[in-house]
Amino acid sequence: MSPDVMGYLVAGGLALAVAAFFVGRLTGAGASRRRELEEQLADTQEELARAAADAEDLLEQLGKARDEHAAYRMNVMDHFSGTSDLLRDLTVQYRSVYEHLTKGASTLCPEGFVALTQGLPVPQIAEPLGDREGASNVEPSASAPEQDTLQSDTPPAPA
């Protein structure tokens, strides 16, 4: 054989070996492992994107829940402030009825007036608070004695 043919055969053999190597890499066990890892990576990226979207939705729900809670607290505060106003008005009206009865009793039956004047020692009712926000933070005065405005169910003994 001639050296030229021999060179061609060696070059062809090397080219065939290189081609076989690359074909083996593309179709062999390593290629299937690479494809498997690429699929796992794609799946993991999809899961991560879904988790990020879920986290964003949860943050949005949390914000809505906080807003609803704040609105609810304001409604509760307004309700109890209104209840306080109504009870104060009721107390003032009750006092007016009591004063009317004592005036009538002193005029119409002076001998029974002594018994009425000895009942119900009620301290002055404070004026309504101007702002409702401050109403929830007001605490009873330590200097004002706590009294039961309705002393008992039995009328006081005549003097």
Side-chain angles (χ1 to χ4, degrees):
M1 279 208 231
S2 76
D4 286 337
V5 172
M6 188 66 112
Y8 287 125
L9 282 177
V10 170
L14 282 174
L16 186 60
V18 169
F21 174 77
F22 283 113
V23 168
R25 288 276 293 164
L26 293 175
T27 61
S32 65
R33 176 73 178 145
R34 182 179 50 87
R35 273 182 264 144
E36 181 182 315
L37 290 174
E38 285 175 352
E39 287 174 5
Q40 283 180 349
L41 177 62
D43 290 344
T44 303
Q45 287 174 337
E46 287 176 14
E47 286 179 31
L48 182 60
R50 279 192 300 258
D54 289 346
E56 190 173 313
D57 288 344
L58 289 173
L59 286 174
E60 186 176 317
Q61 289 175 6
L62 177 63
K64 284 182 182 178
R66 284 183 176 162
D67 292 344
E68 289 173 3
H69 179 67
Y72 174 76
R73 287 180 55 108
M74 289 299 297
N75 286 339
V76 168
M77 187 177 73
D78 288 344
H79 170 76
F80 283 113
S81 179
T83 301
S84 173
D85 291 343
L86 291 172
L87 285 173
R88 185 180 55 260
D89 293 344
L90 180 64
T91 303
V92 168
Q93 290 174 359
Y94 179 77
R95 178 172 284 161
S96 295
V97 169
Y98 178 78
E99 289 170 357
H100 171 75
L101 289 174
T102 57
K103 183 179 176 184
S106 70
T107 304
L108 299 175
C109 50
E111 64 277 354
F113 180 68
V114 176
L116 279 176
T117 59
Q118 292 176 354
L120 295 178
V122 179
Q124 280 296 103
I125 296 174
E127 289 297 317
L129 292 175
D131 62 317
R132 290 182 185 251
E133 292 177 353
S136 63
N137 296 330
V138 175
E139 295 193 17
S141 171
S143 63
E146 291 188 26
Q147 296 182 5
D148 187 7
T149 57
L150 299 175
Q151 299 290 329
S152 70
D153 291 340
T154 59

